Every structure is written in C-alpha cells, then in structure tokens.
Amino acid sequence: MTNALISVSDKSGIVDFARALHAQGVRLISTGGTAKLLAAEDLPVTEVAELTGFPEMLDGRVKTLHPKVHAGLLARRELPAHMAALKDHGVDTIDLLVVNLYPFEATVAKAGCTLADAIENIDIGGPAMVRSAAKNWKDVGVVTDAAQYPEVLAELQKHGRLSHALRFRLAVAAFNRIAQYAGAISDYLSSVEFEPEKLCDTYVPRRQTFPGQSNGIFTKVQDLRYGENSHQSAALYRDRCPAPGSIVTGEQLQGKELSYNNIADADAAWECVKSFKLPACVIVKHANPCGVAVGTSAREAYAKAFQTDPTSAFGGIIAFNRPVDGAAAEQVAKQFVEVLMAPDFTPEARAVFQAKANVRLVKIALPGSDASAAWSQGHHLMDAKRVGSGLLLQTADRHELQLADLRVVTERQPTQEQMQDLMFAWKVAKFVKSNAIVFCKGGQTRGVGAGQMSRLDSARIASIKAEAAGLSLKDTVVASDAFFPFRDGLDVVVDAGATCVAQPGGSMRDQEVIDAANERGVAMVFTGVRHFRH
C-alpha cells in the first residue's frame, strides 16, 4: 500500500490512525481541516491541491472533484491500459480512502436548523470518492467509519495489505453508508414545506411529519431461525440510531437465540413495563399482557402479575423495570419462562438462572427522562405496517394520560384510590390488543380481555379469566381502550363487580352509557383519547 487519501468530518481517532499508517510507510494525502490537523501533529501530509495541481475553491466546495483523484481511485491495477493512462497523465494510485461525510443527519436533527445549514451540509466530494473507491474494491480499501480503523490497521500491520475479504466488507459498508446518507437527504428535503417568499440564510422551514418519500434505513442485527411460523424465514433489523432503552439495544446474557415471536412479545412487554414509575412486572403471551402489577419490589410486582393469569403466564415473556435480585429470581424460576428482561440482574439472580440454561436473560438499560425528546425517552417516532404492495406509517402512540385529563361524567365520584387504579389500568390497556378490557385493583390486573371483535366478548373473557385465576372483581376499576357504543358493555363489567370505569367517550350514545352508569351507581370518567392497538 502506497497512498492514503484522508478527508474526514468527524476527526475522532484520525491522528492515531494516520500515525499508524505513516509508520507502515504509507504516504498521507489530505484536505482542508484534516490536513491542517495532521500537519499540526508533525505528520508529513500532502495537500490534495498539491496532488491535483488545482487549488481548493468555492469555500472548499470543490477540492477532490478532480480526475487525478478519481482516476487514482478507479484505475484497475491488473489492466495495463489503465496503468499506462495513469503514467501518461502523471496520476498516482490511491490505495486507501478514509472519508466520513459532512454531518447532514446531525445538522437537520437540531432544533432551528435553517435550510441554508442543511444544504451546506450535503457532502458532494465525499460520496463521489467513496463510490469510486468502493466500486474499485479489489484494489482500494475504503474506510467510512472510525470503528473500522482497528481492523484495517491490524491487517496492514500483519500482512502489509488488506485482504480481498476485508476490502469487500468495507466496500459494502461504504455503499450502505452512501444509501443512508442519500436517504436522509431525501427524507429531509421532501418534508420541507418550501416558502420561497421567506427564503434567506436564516429561513427555518416548516416540515411535514410524513415526507414525500420514505427512505427507512435499517441494519441487520441477525438472521433468525424462522419467522412467525416455521415455514417462514426472518431476520431482525434495527434503526441506524436506535432509541436508548429500546428492545434492540438489549444484551442477551444467556439462553437460546431469541426467535421472531420472542422478540415481538419481548418488545410488547418492555414497552409496557418501562411506562411505569413504581417497581413493575409485565408478563406477555402472544403479544398481549396477561398479567401486570406494581409493588414495593420486583418480587412483589411479579407475584401479583403472575396471580392474574398463571395459565397464560406459562412460557411467557417477563419484563421488569427494576434490577432482578435473588429473591425475584427464585420466584420467577418456579415457572417456565421463555424470556426475562430487566435493567440488570444481580449476581445472585444470575446464579439462580445458571441452572436453567434455556431461559433467555436480556439486560436492557432504561431510557433517560428528557421530557423534551421522545427519542431520548426510548420512544421510536413512527410505527409502520406493511399492506399489499404498500406501507402504512403513523406517529407512534406516545400519549401519556395525566390525572388532570380525566373528566368525571357521573354522579358518583371516584375515590383517590380508584383514580390511581384507573391510571394504572389505562397504561395497561394501551398495550392490550383491541378490543381491550382491563380490570384492575390495588396496582394489579385482575382480568384482561383482548383482541375480540366485540367489546362485550372482551369483557366476558376478562371476567372468565379472573374467575379461573381465583381473583375477585368486586370493587375493581375497568379501562376500555375505546368507547362503549352501547350500555351493554358497561352492564357486563358492572355485573362482574366493577365500580369505576375509564373510557375515551365520544360515542353518539355517550349519554345513554352515562345514564346507565348513574343507574348502576358506578363512577365513570372520560379520558378523551383512545388506544386502539391492532
């Protein structure tokens, strides 16, 4: 390897990398700020302008867009005609390209980003060089991420060159990065509501929630054994920048590889449990919470959650929002569990599960509490669902009900204890498939009815499950994810023992249902928002 061209926006680790290249006898060629940095570190560096014989111009917009750069990258070494052309025109080969692009994604993510700033951070020369180098991967290594530096140096120091396998991997990563970059630019520009009359350097454009073109970019984490059924194949992908505290940021500590269904159910359990402030436990089976509770400890929360539906909890997915200690682990270990998630596991808890090698333990850090940014709280911004040859996109359901949002519509007023249970029940109902009916009392689900075509049937199923678990529904509260279209749904939950009900309201027959609640002597509150989950 003879020549390396280095031009990086993010200069993390570049000095040490360049110094190691120099130690291998590699000539360093660079541009602008990168060249100044390397020179300041006493590294011999050739400016691109010296290489090309053409000065940087237009405030640096034009510097590497030159035949001597691209010919040096694109020339195929095994073709005599290519090498002769380089010699005739005094062009040196470039054997290693080190480029990371202008920070377009970070720029447009900032509040108050102007259109001028966004446009100025669209890299032109960088992507052009990366494409040239990656196309000629058999002869040129292309480094687009600082995380690649150690592997590149290891091969150079051991063999004096890069293997075909590494160069190909680097080229694939380079084309992926170019696709991500172009997608980000397209997403941004096609979301801008252009107002030419306001155009100036300080113009901050309004942006549509849904851009004219959606360019979702996901990176494969792993292939899965199979999909939802054994005859389907599957893989897990993650966002390029996953939200902190999301399922794909987890670390599996033990157990078999997670399956497609494991991951889908684990996501449902984790999203639900992290919505609680008190120590909480959520048990999920077939994408629905079958037991949810809060307590003074992880152990107590689990015991209450398990009590809701022990039958469904068998082989379920369990999530805690507190570290699992030895006491909680010993309690959980008494049942068959597929996946157990928590922010952490104590050494005592790990020891308990060492004897159960098939139990999948997953450690996931809880997200932060920055109220101004959904992403930093671990919430993805969009939900997607495939339909025939199309895609449905919607903003994620991040609505958080507050006590002040509840509007009492009946003569009977809920007690303070009932109001707290209503808030708990409403959180759970948000994660239950529609139609959803959730009976709760004392920070514990007592009966959950999910996924039925009729709200009446969901209410009846919740009652049946409570009876099967030996739990009384007397004086419980109920959350319904959508309004009661008729009084019959209310009558079913009151007959089962509920004395307080939360529902969105908004039906043409709201007054009929309110009158029924007054007739039955129960309290009812309207939330003003529904939580359909399909």
Side-chain angles (χ1 to χ4, degrees), residues 288-443:
N288 276 301
C290 61
V292 181
V294 294
T296 58
S297 66
R299 183 185 184 281
E300 182 186 359
Y302 166 75
K304 291 167 66 177
F306 180 76
Q307 188 182 24
T308 301
D309 191 351
T311 301
S312 298
F314 181 85
I317 309 292
I318 302 176
F320 291 92
N321 65 352
R322 294 290 191 276
V324 172
D325 57 16
E330 288 175 1
Q331 192 77 9
V332 173
K334 294 176 182 178
Q335 75 162 103
F336 169 50
V337 55
E338 288 274 7
V339 182
L340 179 60
M341 296 173 291
D344 207 350
F345 298 86
T346 67
E348 294 78 12
R350 293 291 303 275
V352 169
F353 287 106
Q354 282 177 353
K356 293 179 174 286
N358 287 335
V359 176
R360 302 160 176 92
L361 296 187
V362 180
K363 177 181 174 180
I364 312 177
L366 288 169
S369 57
D370 182 358
S372 65
W375 183 85
S376 66
Q377 296 177 59
H379 300 304
H380 55 273
L381 302 181
M382 292 285 175
D383 282 336
K385 182 180 291 188
R386 285 286 282 165
V387 295
S389 297
L391 182 72
L392 287 171
L393 283 178
Q394 65 175 348
T395 56
D397 184 359
R398 300 193 304 273
H399 184 272
E400 294 290 338
L401 190 71
Q402 306 297 319
L403 268 174
D405 299 330
L406 298 179
R407 181 166 66 94
V408 180
V409 294
T410 52
E411 296 166 359
R412 179 171 174 176
Q413 299 285 313
T415 65
Q416 186 175 357
E417 182 180 355
Q418 285 175 324
M419 290 291 264
Q420 293 299 323
D421 274 338
L422 284 176
M423 295 294 290
F424 172 84
W426 192 252
K427 281 183 182 289
V428 177
K430 178 179 175 180
F431 296 96
V432 177
K433 297 286 188 180
S434 301
N435 287 306
I437 294 289
V438 181
F439 288 85
C440 296
K441 187 175 182 180

Side-chain angles (χ1 to χ4, degrees), residues 9 27 39 50 65 78 101 172 180 193 208 216 233 251 298 311 334 349 397 408 425:
S9 176
R27 176 191 179 200
E50 181 182 340
L65 294 169
E78 82 280 10
L101 309 177
V172 171
Q180 294 163 358
E193 295 183 358
Q208 301 172 15
S233 53
E251 175 190 1
T311 301
K334 294 176 182 178
D397 184 359
V408 180

Side-chain angles (χ1 to χ4, degrees), residues 139-179:
D139 296 312
V140 182
V142 53
V143 179
T144 52
D145 192 303
Q148 298 166 334
Y149 296 168
E151 187 176 13
V152 169
L153 284 178
E155 282 208 3
L156 285 177
Q157 291 166 351
K158 186 173 183 180
H159 304 294
R161 58 180 174 79
L162 302 183
S163 66
H164 272 58
L166 177 55
R167 285 202 300 271
F168 184 74
R169 289 202 307 275
L170 291 172
V172 171
F175 279 121
N176 288 344
R177 177 64 187 122
I178 295 301

Side-chain angles (χ1 to χ4, degrees), residues 1-6 17 21 24-29 51 68-77 83 86 91-98 132-134 136-143 152 156 160-163 167 170:
M1 180 171 289
T2 306
N3 296 312
L5 196 164
I6 304 174
F17 185 58
L21 290 176
Q24 292 294 305
V26 178
R27 176 191 179 200
L28 305 178
I29 305 164
L51 180 79
K68 284 196 171 183
V69 171
H70 287 274
L73 291 168
L74 283 165
R76 292 173 60 181
R77 288 17 171 204
M83 300 312 290
L86 294 189
V91 177
D92 290 331
T93 59
I94 297 173
D95 310 293
L96 183 68
L97 178 70
V98 185
S132 292
N136 201 26
W137 66 270
K138 287 184 179 179
D139 296 312
V140 182
V142 53
V143 179
V152 169
L156 285 177
R161 58 180 174 79
L162 302 183
S163 66
R167 285 202 300 271
L170 291 172

Side-chain angles (χ1 to χ4, degrees), residues 42 60 86 110 123 144 225 244 274 319 371 408 431 467 470 482 519:
D42 295 325
L86 294 189
K110 295 175 183 174
D123 202 330
T144 52
R225 297 196 307 277
K274 72 183 185 183
V408 180
F431 296 96
E467 183 178 358
E519 176 190 320

Side-chain angles (χ1 to χ4, degrees), residues 38-109:
L38 299 182
E41 294 290 333
D42 295 325
L43 285 166
V45 59
T46 301
E47 289 264 9
V48 163
E50 181 182 340
L51 180 79
T52 63
F54 196 89
E56 291 187 15
M57 61 185 300
L58 306 182
D59 298 320
R61 283 190 170 200
V62 177
K63 48 193 173 189
T64 58
L65 294 169
H66 194 280
K68 284 196 171 183
V69 171
H70 287 274
L73 291 168
L74 283 165
R76 292 173 60 181
R77 288 17 171 204
E78 82 280 10
L79 296 182
H82 280 204
M83 300 312 290
L86 294 189
K87 184 176 180 181
D88 288 346
H89 294 282
V91 177
D92 290 331
T93 59
I94 297 173
D95 310 293
L96 183 68
L97 178 70
V98 185
V99 167
N100 54 58
L101 309 177
Y102 292 173
F104 179 84
E105 296 101 324
T107 299
V108 299

